[in-house]
Amino acid sequence: MSTPLPPDVPRPEYPRPQFVREAWLNLNGRWQFETDRGDSGLERGLRDRDLAGEIVVPFCPESELSGIGDTDFMEAVWYRRTVTVPAEWAGHDVLLHFGAVDHDATVWVNGTEVARHRGGFTPFTADLRGVAGPGDEAVIVVRARDSRHGPQARGKQATWYANTHCHYTRTTGIWQTVWLEPVPAAARLKRPRITPDLGSGSFHLDLPVTGNLPGHRVRAVLSDAGGEVVTASARADLDLCPRLVLTVPEDRLRTWSPADPHLYDLRLQLLDADGGVVDEAASYAGMRSVALRGKRVLLNGEPVFQRLVLDQGYYPDGLMTAPTDADLVRDIELGLRAGFNGARLHQKVFEERYLYHADRLGYLVWGEFGDWGCETGVRDDNQRPDASYVAQWLEALERDHSHPSIVGWCPLNETYQHLHDRITQLDDVTRAMFLATKQADPSRPVVDASGYAHRVAETDVYDSHCYEQDPEAFARTMAGLAEDRPYVNTGPDGRPWSLPYRGQPYFCSEFGGIWWDAEAAATAAGDETGSSWGYGERPRSVEEFLDRFTGLVDVLLDDPDMFGYCYTQLTDVFQERNGVYAFDRAEKFDTAVLRRVQQRPAASETEG
């Protein structure tokens, strides 16, 4: 039932690899497009007429790959495309999926509004029942609003014209795959939630359905290379979310880890009263556990030091969108080559296919939200994230819950506000996002806010960010953890941002950021003008860089109370030249040396 793609469709791969139905239609490619700088397009009739230009979806208009490359501000943009829904989908409803649209999207099909969505990082779906069905022509119109004014979860997107320091070119509008999918009309499967339970050797499977029809059942079949492992089924006519337990026989139990990223295949089915298949999808699952013991984070009951790298997921020609699926794979392979075993996916909810590749390659990741953008400039109440932050984060948790590569959640990053005797909006939203995460997924640790303003006393993990460049000074800064006096970020005046540390597992979740720009270093005067940027004084040679890198890493590897670290960063990003690879992914250093420095055993892996 799937429709063959023309050869020039960008990003042709299936966008939802953990819930795969056979039939679908990729809508990437050329769409009509028009910029609406004053957000007056609805009044001017843009919804109901052809648009003036063209764009290549799923690349944003600021990117080169979109065919536009306009980096000025856009209050709103419009898209239009006419498609014919495949006639062979007869008897099915049709869903229109958007992987991500930045930031506020409204979608019309054949003149009828079918969806509204706020948030630039998470997917949403429009049900086209009664609007367009199999064999029908569907005129799809999308308006995306993306104001630079006011609080908004933007991640690293600059709110001024030029890229500066660690703020980069904006992304407006569609930046992930758009696609159609036929689904059974009466009742169908919804996205499953797969939770491994290594203690019992089982997978717990929540398998929601859209409706409960008499005699319906759900069934799940778990398989490995040797064939079927276990099958489970349950009635689907009583509970809106049937639950199954798939207990793996001991002789077929194989854990997922960086050393052996084993994945089981999973077939999901909705059956009618006669046993006929109403709906089915393919998925997969990894059996692994994450636990906390004292100051350690354990994987499958053992300490695995988390040698993480900060990955911001930007590309010179695609911005937040990887040019190809192979580029997602390459970034993971580059991290592994340099000796990292995982990444903080920083200030961005990454494309789900990145997580799929992390699952199959054995790459540990922390899922994060792109929360930057809530600064108000009001003294002592300077950050005001709103309810949309919580809503978007819940959408990200729902999408990504079942990926075994995710070993922790980070809903906020570097929120900063003086700790005083008033409860602020930042306090409310930090607590809401922490509790929402724990309710949605009690199986993984959560850090309430990475680095700066820890406002939740019971946060599972505590951390800090420290860009001290001198290894000896860095060692002194980090020395207090053994006495439960770890380094804690404070305001420039020394006033506290965070509630006190209470003995949780602790890691330095941003360090390094060593500024190395070979082109600038080769000039007589260097580059101190702002076109190249990093932390601290730039090393004068590659050898000096490697000495500093080794010294900083050694401090954290040698601390028996440190469960991991996150080095800044995987690649240069525009003017920020502190990656271990260049922005185009070219090597800047001998990665064998970086790998050797990091791969020696950490104290927390060998002591106690």
Side-chain angles (χ1 to χ4, degrees):
M1 293 172 65
S2 58
T3 301
L5 289 173
D8 60 343
V9 171
R11 298 302 307 270
E13 60 282 345
Y14 192 85
R16 193 182 57 194
Q18 215 168 21
F19 187 46
V20 179
R21 289 191 177 96
E22 180 183 351
W24 71 296
L25 178 61
N26 191 316
L27 299 185
N28 292 344
R30 296 198 173 275
W31 289 53
Q32 292 181 21
F33 178 82
E34 192 164 331
T35 300
D36 182 11
R37 297 199 190 278
D39 191 13
S40 59
L42 190 61
E43 292 88 340
R44 293 187 289 112
L46 267 63
R47 183 188 62 185
D48 304 313
R49 66 160 172 82
D50 286 342
L51 303 177
E54 279 193 340
I55 191 171
V56 178
V57 168
F59 303 109
C60 70
E62 291 90 346
S63 71
E64 295 176 13
L65 291 176
S66 70
I68 297 177
D70 182 353
T71 59
D72 205 348
F73 296 109
M74 305 180 202
E75 284 291 308
V77 293
W78 290 77
Y79 299 79
R80 183 183 184 93
R81 179 167 176 180
T82 300
V83 300
T84 299
V85 180
E88 59 265 32
W89 294 356
H92 291 73
D93 284 346
V94 179
L95 303 180
L96 173 60
H97 299 288
F98 294 86
V101 181
D102 198 340
H103 183 266
D104 289 356
T106 306
V107 182
W108 296 267
V109 175
N110 294 340
T112 299
E113 183 180 319
V114 295
R116 293 187 184 189
H117 182 262
R118 167 162 288 174
F121 296 107
T122 47
F124 65 97
T125 297
D127 189 334
L128 303 189
R129 178 184 289 190
V131 177
D136 292 341
E137 189 175 80
V139 180
I140 303 168
V141 176
V142 180
R143 178 191 60 197
R145 288 170 158 152
D146 192 22
S147 177
R148 69 184 186 274
H149 305 291
Q152 177 180 302
R154 296 184 176 88
K156 290 296 191 80
Q157 300 178 64
T159 54
W160 47 88
Y161 176 74
N163 290 349
T164 306
H165 294 98
C166 56
H167 295 266
Y168 318 128
T169 304
R170 292 162 293 283
T171 288
T172 299
I174 297 170
W175 67 277
Q176 290 186 31
T177 292
V178 185
W179 53 295
L180 289 175
E181 178 184 38
V183 293
R188 65 178 184 272
L189 299 171
K190 297 176 71 176
R191 185 173 186 125
R193 182 174 297 184
I194 307 162
T195 307
D197 178 3
L198 184 55
S200 68
S202 303
F203 290 103
H204 296 264
L205 178 60
D206 293 342
L207 195 53
V209 293
T210 59
N212 305 106
L213 299 184
H216 273 201
R217 299 184 67 82
V218 291
R219 180 170 66 188
V221 181
L222 190 77
S223 303
D224 61 15
E228 183 177 314
V229 174
V230 62
T231 300
S233 65
R235 292 177 64 174
D237 56 354
L238 296 174
D239 300 298
L240 196 55
C241 183
R243 290 177 173 169
L244 304 176
V245 177
L246 294 160
T247 300
V248 182
E250 188 172 344
D251 63 344
R252 305 286 286 275
L253 187 63
R254 185 173 166 187
T255 55
W256 182 98
S257 72
D260 180 21
H262 176 259
L263 299 173
Y264 292 92
D265 293 324
L266 187 59
R267 172 64 60 180
L268 311 171
Q269 295 178 319
L270 176 64
L271 308 176
D272 63 21
D274 297 322
V277 176
V278 175
D279 190 18
E280 66 178 336
S283 188
Y284 63 86
M287 177 64 73
R288 62 103 185 90
S289 67
V290 182
L292 309 180
R293 182 181 299 163
K295 292 176 181 173
R296 296 184 178 182
V297 176
L298 308 182
L299 184 71
N300 301 330
E302 300 294 333
V304 176
F305 193 85
Q306 296 186 21
R307 298 164 173 84
L308 308 180
V309 67
L310 199 77
D311 188 347
Q312 305 202 67
Y314 271 78
Y315 302 87
D317 49 1
L319 300 181
M320 288 204 300
T321 310
T324 69
D325 193 54
D327 288 287
L328 299 174
V329 177
R330 179 179 62 173
D331 283 356
I332 296 172
E333 291 176 339
L334 289 175
L336 292 169
R337 188 183 308 164
F340 301 101
N341 61 6
R344 273 186 66 203
L345 307 184
H346 187 54
Q347 280 300 296
K348 173 185 168 185
V349 178
F350 276 47
E351 300 176 52
E352 192 179 357
R353 287 197 64 88
Y354 179 99
L355 298 176
Y356 162 66
H357 295 305
D359 292 341
R360 66 181 187 82
L361 294 172
Y363 202 54
L364 306 175
V365 299
W366 281 70
E368 186 172 311
F369 184 56
D371 67 292
W372 281 16
C374 61
E375 178 66 33
T376 66
V378 178
R379 181 185 176 189
D380 293 345
D381 194 14
N382 54 293
Q383 293 194 312
R384 297 181 182 177
D386 58 22
S388 72
Y389 278 55
V390 186
Q392 293 171 64
W393 180 237
L394 282 168
E395 290 175 335
L397 293 170
E398 180 66 21
R399 192 197 76 172
D400 295 341
H401 173 96
S402 302
H403 288 282
S405 58
I406 297 178
V407 294
W409 296 115
C410 177
L412 296 167
N413 171 76
E414 289 189 350
T415 48
Y416 61 97
Q417 190 177 93
H418 289 139
L419 197 66
H420 45 66
D421 64 352
R422 290 182 295 107
I423 297 174
T424 68
Q425 189 164 319
L426 177 62
D427 291 309
D428 287 338
V429 172
T430 302
R431 184 158 193 83
M433 294 184 80
F434 177 82
L435 292 177
T437 311
K438 298 302 290 184
Q439 285 291 317
D441 182 13
S443 72
R444 292 178 175 95
V446 182
V447 58
D448 58 343
S450 182
Y452 288 5
H454 293 291
R455 322 289 276 200
V456 177
E458 66 270 31
T459 182
D460 294 322
V461 168
Y462 209 98
D463 69 350
S464 68
H465 297 173
C466 181
Y467 286 105
E468 171 59 57
Q469 296 294 296
D470 175 35
E472 292 185 4
F474 186 59
R476 291 192 296 271
T477 299
M478 291 290 146
L481 183 56
E483 289 77 38
D484 285 347
R485 294 182 292 100
Y487 175 69
V488 177
N489 295 110
T490 64
D493 57 2
R495 291 171 63 187
W497 284 338
S498 297
L499 296 173
Y501 173 70
R502 299 173 56 157
Q504 300 100 323
Y506 177 99
F507 73 135
C508 185
S509 60
E510 286 187 31
F511 80 108
I514 304 170
W515 177 15
W516 177 250
D517 183 341
E519 292 181 5
T523 66
D527 179 0
E528 311 295 342
T529 65
S531 62
S532 174
W533 180 82
Y535 290 96
E537 182 180 353
R538 188 181 59 247
R540 287 160 294 189
S541 67
V542 169
E543 290 73 24
E544 186 176 332
F545 171 93
L546 293 172
D547 286 345
R548 190 185 302 180
F549 178 88
T550 301
L552 295 173
V553 168
D554 281 350
V555 169
L556 302 177
L557 286 175
D558 289 339
D559 189 336
D561 293 311
M562 191 80 59
F563 78 81
Y565 59 63
C566 181
Y567 181 83
T568 301
Q569 61 181 320
L570 181 66
T571 73
D572 295 343
V573 184
F574 293 107
Q575 69 283 347
E576 189 173 356
R577 307 288 174 84
N578 51 19
V580 296
Y581 296 95
F583 198 14
D584 65 1
R585 277 55 176 177
E587 285 200 357
K588 295 170 64 177
F589 312 102
D590 183 346
T591 52
V593 175
L594 303 180
R595 181 177 180 82
R596 185 167 60 249
V597 168
Q598 297 195 81
Q599 287 299 297
R600 69 177 181 84
S604 68
E605 294 173 308
T606 59
E607 298 186 16

